Amino acid sequence: MSTIKDVSKISGLSLATISKYLNGGNVRDENRQRIDEAVEALGYRVNRNARSLKTNRTLTVGVVMPTLSVPFFGSVISSLDQTLREAGYTSFVCSYDFDRDLELEKLRVLCNNNVDGIVLAAQHVSAKELNEIRNARGSEMPMVLVDRTIPGFVCDSIVIDNLNATYGAVEQLINAGHRHIGIIVGPLDISTANERMVGYRRALEDYGIQIETGKNAKSGQKEDLIQIGRYDFESGYRQFNNFMDMETPPTALCVTNYDMTMGAVTAAHERNVILGKDIGFVGFDAVDLCRIVSPPLSIVEQPTQLMGQKAAEILLKRMAGETLPHPQVIRLKSYLHNRIYQE
Amino acid sequence: MSTIKDVSKISGLSLATISKYLNGGNVRDENRQRIDEAVEALGYRVNRNARSLKTNRTLTVGVVMPTLSVPFFGSVISSLDQTLREAGYTSFVCSYDFDRDLELEKLRVLCNNNVDGIVLAAQHVSAKELNEIRNARGSEMPMVLVDRTIPGFVCDSIVIDNLNATYGAVEQLINAGHRHIGIIVGPLDISTANERMVGYRRALEDYGIQIETGKNAKSGQKEDLIQIGRYDFESGYRQFNNFMDMETPPTALCVTNYDMTMGAVTAAHERNVILGKDIGFVGFDAVDLCRIVSPPLSIVEQPTQLMGQKAAEILLKRMAGETLPHPQVIRLKSYLHNRIYQE
DNA sequence: CAAAGTGGACGAAACGGTTCGTTTATGGAC
DNA sequence: GTCCATAAACGAACCGTTTCGTCCACTTTG
């Protein structure tokens, strides 16, 4: 592999001059040509490790996500990457597959690999650990949280107005006449899950509806109209069935992420429950899905593109050294595709 | 940020000794303790750039995919990452979003960032360009193609037996009595699309069925029973409608990837065509989906996990310097979920 | 007890760039 | 032709590691 020294030898110019030119500096026309020729002849490419060692910059950002198998994150990543790329940065993506240890490991590895910034959809990691990671290098590593935040961790974040998202969804169900409404939320240690639950609660409160508890017809044990799943397909599937097995099942249901919506829709299908007709329904994220099933479903759509873009923009500012008043929290609005069932 | 020199100063040992210990070498018990203490006290972490500069290794592999928004690739990546991680490597994922320029750029950036190996699902890039990229550094960069191959590019590859996948799918439709069978394939410059088309052709041949051409009822122009889409939702949606608008529409349909299957299912739904009943149908990849719709769909499932794992295994061997007889091509079998419609 | 053998510690030279401070070349003004 | 201002080229130090060859201290052996 040829180095800048080879270029120097062939062109007859000093290292410093070559380096300067390669980094956008001015050289005489004649020399520019000689360098270009030498670079071409050798197939020279700068060694980014060497450069980074000296400059402490890599023009690289790390993106850490809980999974790469759902369109939601794929879409966020796509726009994130685009915005960063336009500014000259490359993004490297890792998934921690919902695993706690992996989440920490990926973050550490990224820091060690000297990325210039990190975008993180956090789940298990604690504020303490994050602070540690953020300050592992001398200076504070620029970091932006997306979608999910960590309580106590002060950091720029781009999130959805989850509270109002479920508030709106539940409100719609109430307006359609429902009074006995169930919700399937995610693990409450994930900020989005918690906020979505609060939105549900508040809507019922505001409309003076008590959150009732039902009783499981099979097991006989009391069960809440708030069911906690794990944000995966099986949770949606199982909890939907739980609801239907209650003594007095809810007349409407709100399901609060992509996979669980898929699971609930599947379960409904298998039980011959027609969503939107036999039972009121609002799902999350599965925008494609709601075109497929009949009648079409009401769905909360999150502005994934915007999320990625905003995250990138803030991160770019931080990496450029701008000192914004610290915790920049951007709360984006979701959009409720409201489809009312009619015979 | 503290360096190995600081550790040396505090512990009173030489750089060489510290480095040796940190890389698994033997030191006296007493010294091991002193180093551990110093490392702990300083919060020292090795600088991977410096290390890589010296060793020419990064323990890192680059993964380049056409998109991160479909479960198929997400699943491949997940198992890929796991296998690599167990061997001490970290994987960084990029998507080129189906874009030609981006595909090249991502590959180049990865090479420049000195990854130790590359896993690529290739689309637009040519054999010539790939060879150039692979040899841009002194030695040949270990590389494994997954899912898609490039004609003329000699390289280890993990692919699906696409030909037999569609062959089997079409065969099933024939056995169910269909003789007028359509197929929606992807862009023919993608190897999988081409192979899947050939499988379709061969099945018809083997059963002595001529590939007929229909005529579009609206436009009046002749149209083939082989429709070429772009592997996206809209293609599936549009081409399905094209088929239905033909003078004599096919009585059965094979749709050859995830997004197009989603599109076709959606279109069918909107036209009130019941797949499996009104028209024979085999889709691809959308395993979740086939549980949701009614009647359940026949679907070709690809062994994504195995694909990722095999790719990782071969890449690991290459990175370890093993010289296998060159083009290792592993062709995995897909699985046909065969669901026959009955009243 | 001397010689040989052994395991660990050490110095110093890389790896491939960037950059600071300095020297050299260019060219315009007088 | 001399002087000075400015622009470009240069040398050398440095970034944080690894590693090779050498050296030292301690055991073992005859």
Side-chain angles (χ1 to χ4, degrees):
Chain A
M1 190 58 186
S2 54
T3 78
I4 204 173
K5 282 177 193 160
D6 302 319
V7 178
S8 161
K9 218 165 290 172
I10 290 198
S11 66
L13 295 163
S14 77
L15 294 184
T17 306
I18 319 262
S19 172
K20 187 183 173 200
Y21 171 57
L22 259 30
N23 288 293
N26 275 333
V27 294
R28 285 205 208 95
D29 260 10
E30 172 208 350
N31 291 339
R32 173 213 314 288
Q33 207 174 333
R34 286 180 31 212
I35 297 177
D36 282 342
E37 279 171 18
V39 166
E40 175 67 21
L42 290 165
Y44 168 78
R45 328 200 59 180
V46 354
N47 179 325
R48 304 229 168 206
N49 275 318
R51 172 180 284 175
S52 299
L53 174 58
K54 193 63 187 155
T55 61
N56 263 320
R57 307 184 60 216
T58 56
L59 288 180
T60 276
V61 326
V63 180
V64 183
M65 296 282 146
T67 174
L68 297 178
S69 293
V70 305
F72 174 80
F73 292 111
S75 173
V76 172
I77 293 169
S78 169
S79 75
L80 188 61
D81 183 69
Q82 189 183 331
T83 308
L84 289 172
R85 198 170 56 246
E86 283 162 6
Y89 284 85
T90 310
S91 56
F92 290 124
V93 183
C94 315
S95 153
Y96 54 87
D97 263 326
F98 304 106
D99 182 82
R100 175 180 158 73
D101 295 338
L102 214 44
E103 183 177 353
L104 270 171
E105 187 191 319
K106 293 287 185 187
L107 282 169
R108 295 230 168 90
V109 169
L110 281 173
C111 286
N112 267 24
N113 271 61
N114 289 333
V115 294
D116 292 345
I118 286 181
V119 177
L120 168 66
Q123 181 158 351
H124 314 282
V125 73
S126 71
K128 181 157 163 284
E129 288 162 332
L130 276 174
N131 271 313
E132 205 172 283
I133 287 169
R134 182 160 57 172
N135 296 313
R137 287 160 59 179
S139 58
E140 180 172 289
M141 163 83 72
M143 195 182 279
V144 175
L145 301 185
V146 292
D147 188 45
R148 307 161 173 206
T149 59
I150 296 292
F153 182 60
V154 177
C155 186
D156 299 326
S157 332
I158 318 289
V159 294
I160 301 295
D161 184 358
N162 290 295
L163 198 152
N164 282 325
T166 43
Y167 188 101
V170 172
E171 192 171 36
Q172 181 222 322
L173 293 169
I174 293 172
N175 287 339
H178 294 284
R179 290 295 175 274
H180 196 57
I181 302 171
I183 187 170
I184 308 179
V185 297
L188 293 182
D189 58 344
I190 301 180
S191 60
T192 57
N194 200 42
E195 291 165 9
R196 286 169 197 172
M197 183 182 71
V198 173
Y200 162 86
R201 283 218 151 101
R202 191 164 302 170
L204 294 188
E205 266 173 37
D206 286 2
Y207 281 83
I209 301 172
Q210 255 196 317
I211 300 179
E212 303 170 51
T213 45
K215 203 186 285 180
N216 185 293
K218 284 182 192 155
S219 66
Q221 69 191 110
K222 261 174 57 166
E223 279 184 344
D224 209 298
L225 283 181
I226 299 175
Q227 296 271 329
I228 298 169
R230 290 181 314 172
Y231 267 169
D232 60 4
F233 184 95
E234 285 310 321
S235 297
Y237 185 84
R238 194 179 51 247
Q239 309 292 34
F240 183 88
N241 282 323
N242 277 359
F243 272 130
M244 293 303 109
D245 289 339
M246 286 181 177
E247 209 164 17
T248 47
T251 65
L253 210 50
C254 180
V255 184
T256 57
N257 86 333
Y258 181 85
D259 281 329
M260 295 199 304
T261 299
M262 295 289 283
V265 171
T266 304
H269 174 67
E270 289 182 2
R271 294 179 77 115
N272 286 319
V273 172
I274 296 181
L275 299 177
K277 183 174 167 233
D278 299 340
I279 179 175
F281 190 87
V282 182
F284 253 70
D285 292 347
V287 180
D288 276 357
L289 179 72
C290 66
R291 279 179 75 183
I292 292 183
V293 299
S294 171
L297 297 179
S298 291
I299 288 276
V300 174
E301 180 177 13
Q302 305 188 63
T304 50
Q305 301 276 323
L306 195 56
M307 234 173 143
Q309 186 195 323
K310 290 287 179 197
E313 284 169 4
I314 291 200
L315 190 66
L316 285 169
K317 284 186 188 165
R318 292 284 180 201
M319 292 190 301
E322 279 187 47
T323 50
L324 319 164
H326 198 21
Q328 292 269 316
V329 176
I330 298 189
R331 213 163 258 283
L332 302 173
K333 295 258 170 281
S334 58
Y335 178 74
L336 174 61
H337 293 265
N338 196 351
R339 299 198 173 81
I340 292 164
Y341 177 75
Q342 38 206 345
E343 207 60 47
Chain B
M1 189 57 187
S2 55
T3 79
I4 204 174
K5 282 177 194 162
D6 302 320
V7 178
S8 160
K9 218 166 290 173
I10 291 199
S11 67
L13 295 164
S14 77
L15 295 184
T17 305
I18 319 262
S19 173
K20 189 184 175 197
Y21 171 57
L22 259 30
N23 287 293
N26 276 333
V27 294
R28 286 204 207 99
D29 259 10
E30 172 208 346
N31 291 340
R32 172 213 317 288
Q33 207 176 333
R34 297 203 349 236
I35 297 177
D36 283 343
E37 279 171 20
V39 165
E40 175 67 21
L42 290 164
Y44 167 79
R45 326 201 61 179
V46 357
N47 179 325
R48 304 228 169 208
N49 275 318
R51 172 179 285 176
S52 299
L53 174 59
K54 195 59 189 159
T55 60
N56 263 319
R57 306 184 59 215
T58 57
L59 287 179
T60 277
V61 325
V63 180
V64 183
M65 296 281 146
T67 175
L68 296 178
S69 293
V70 304
F72 174 79
F73 292 111
S75 173
V76 172
I77 292 168
S78 169
S79 76
L80 189 60
D81 183 68
Q82 189 184 330
T83 308
L84 289 172
R85 197 170 58 246
E86 283 162 6
Y89 285 85
T90 311
S91 55
F92 291 125
V93 183
C94 318
S95 152
Y96 54 86
D97 264 326
F98 304 107
D99 182 82
R100 175 180 158 72
D101 295 338
L102 214 43
E103 184 178 353
L104 269 171
E105 186 191 319
K106 293 287 185 187
L107 282 170
R108 296 229 168 89
V109 169
L110 281 173
C111 285
N112 266 26
N113 272 60
N114 289 332
V115 294
D116 293 344
I118 287 181
V119 176
L120 168 65
Q123 181 158 350
H124 313 282
V125 72
S126 71
K128 182 159 162 284
E129 288 163 331
L130 275 175
N131 271 314
E132 206 172 281
I133 288 170
R134 183 160 57 171
N135 296 312
R137 287 161 60 181
S139 58
E140 181 173 288
M141 165 81 74
M143 195 183 279
V144 175
L145 301 184
V146 292
D147 188 44
R148 307 160 173 206
T149 60
I150 295 294
F153 182 60
V154 177
C155 187
D156 299 325
S157 332
I158 319 289
V159 293
I160 300 296
D161 184 356
N162 290 296
L163 197 153
N164 282 325
T166 43
Y167 188 101
V170 173
E171 193 172 35
Q172 181 222 322
L173 293 170
I174 293 172
N175 287 338
H178 295 285
R179 291 296 175 271
H180 196 57
I181 302 171
I183 188 171
I184 307 178
V185 297
L188 294 182
D189 57 345
I190 300 180
S191 60
T192 57
N194 202 41
E195 292 165 7
R196 285 169 197 174
M197 184 182 70
V198 173
Y200 163 85
R201 283 218 150 101
R202 190 165 301 170
L204 293 188
E205 266 172 36
D206 286 0
Y207 281 83
I209 301 171
Q210 255 195 317
I211 301 178
E212 304 170 49
T213 45
K215 201 186 285 179
N216 185 295
K218 283 183 193 154
S219 66
Q221 68 191 108
K222 259 174 59 167
E223 277 185 346
D224 209 299
L225 283 181
I226 300 176
Q227 296 270 331
I228 298 170
R230 290 182 314 174
Y231 267 168
D232 59 5
F233 184 94
E234 284 310 320
S235 298
Y237 186 85
R238 194 178 50 247
Q239 309 291 33
F240 183 89
N241 281 324
N242 276 358
F243 272 129
M244 293 301 107
D245 289 340
M246 286 182 177
E247 210 164 16
T248 48
T251 64
L253 210 51
C254 181
V255 184
T256 57
N257 86 331
Y258 181 86
D259 281 330
M260 295 198 304
T261 298
M262 295 289 282
V265 170
T266 305
H269 175 68
E270 290 183 2
R271 293 179 78 114
N272 285 319
V273 172
I274 296 181
L275 298 177
K277 182 173 168 233
D278 300 341
I279 179 176
F281 189 86
V282 182
F284 252 69
D285 292 347
V287 179
D288 276 357
L289 179 71
C290 65
R291 280 179 74 183
I292 292 183
V293 298
S294 170
L297 297 179
S298 291
I299 287 276
V300 175
E301 179 177 14
Q302 304 188 63
T304 50
Q305 302 276 325
L306 195 56
M307 232 173 145
Q309 186 195 323
K310 290 287 179 196
E313 284 170 3
I314 291 200
L315 190 65
L316 285 169
K317 284 186 188 167
R318 292 285 181 202
M319 293 189 300
E322 279 187 49
T323 50
L324 318 164
H326 200 19
Q328 292 268 316
V329 176
I330 297 188
R331 213 163 257 285
L332 301 173
K333 296 259 170 282
S334 58
Y335 178 75
L336 175 61
H337 293 266
N338 195 351
R339 299 198 173 80
I340 292 165
Y341 177 74
Q342 39 206 347
E343 206 58 51

